[in-house]
Amino acid sequence: MFGILVVAYLFLGGAGAGAIVLACLVDLAWVREPFGMRARPSFDEARPSERIVAFGLLVGLAAVALGALCLMFDLGRPDRLDALLTSAVPSLIVVGAYAVALLVACAAFLTAVRFAYVPAVPRAAVVVVEVAAAVSGSVVMLYTGLLLQSAVGVALWRTPLVPVLFALSSLSCGIAVLLACARFAGPLDACAARLARRFARADLAIVALEAACAALFAGLALASDHPARAASAESLVAGAHAALWWVGFAGCGLVAPFALEAASARMRPDLARATLAVAAVLVLVGGFCLRASVVDAGGHRALELEETSDAFALRLE
């Protein structure tokens, strides 16, 4: 049903949106990077924490834009995307398209004012755009899961646990992007080091919630009376897609990062920084494997089971 380009869009859109949302929230609540005539004359003089935010926005923008390109190529015709943006009929797809477009525009502005010194832009304008980016990015994080949940004829995806699971994964991937950016932001001062430790602690909680949500999603699907949903879940946890689910998602995306992030709290700063960078890479691998396994397990279900069960449900109604 959905190919690799759609999986790439779901991953890149979710991870990029998560990185942009978190970068904006961190700047609004913690960093408060100066702008306007009183700001420093160039990005070279930015503090390490400001560099983390700037690089996070840049990487997030690149990921969302690349994800949008993957979706365009999957549609096959660019005019279809134009039709979505100009449609007068409200729908989930139209809302998602506008959210992605707004997020790209906001992130492009926020990236430009950081990497190209623009003294005419006041801090108040940056705050307004950061709030808009955080809101539109949150919509995109939810939308990537809602897109699957709204798909007709795929029982495995028809549960609110899918958008919740994808949103949690997007947040975790967003933290991973910022932790990776911290690795390349130059020497960290005390403020940036504290920020990295807070990212790691926050990700420990998110990974735990993600694991609980994934277990509930798989368990309810396996116990479902809907034969197609149960068959898809069986394929996910013990069939053709089990390697992606257990090794890629559970192992690389949950267990290993949790252990590394927990252990980093007891390491010396330089070793902790390298450890968190490794954990960030594993989180991103797990985020992709989550989407690939869930999409493939639902998309390659037994069609006759779906049709039989749906017809039976219609007769009961």
Side-chain angles (χ1 to χ4, degrees), residues 294-312:
V294 171
V295 168
D296 286 350
H300 294 87
R301 80 275 183 206
L303 292 175
E304 66 276 7
L305 290 179
E306 293 279 4
E307 294 167 357
T308 301
S309 300
D310 290 344
F312 179 69

Side-chain angles (χ1 to χ4, degrees), residues 29 31 60 64 88 143 145 151 180 198 209 213 219 258 274 282 298 301:
V31 177
V64 174
Y143 166 72
R198 291 191 177 191
L209 289 173
C213 185
F258 190 92
L282 292 173
R301 80 275 183 206

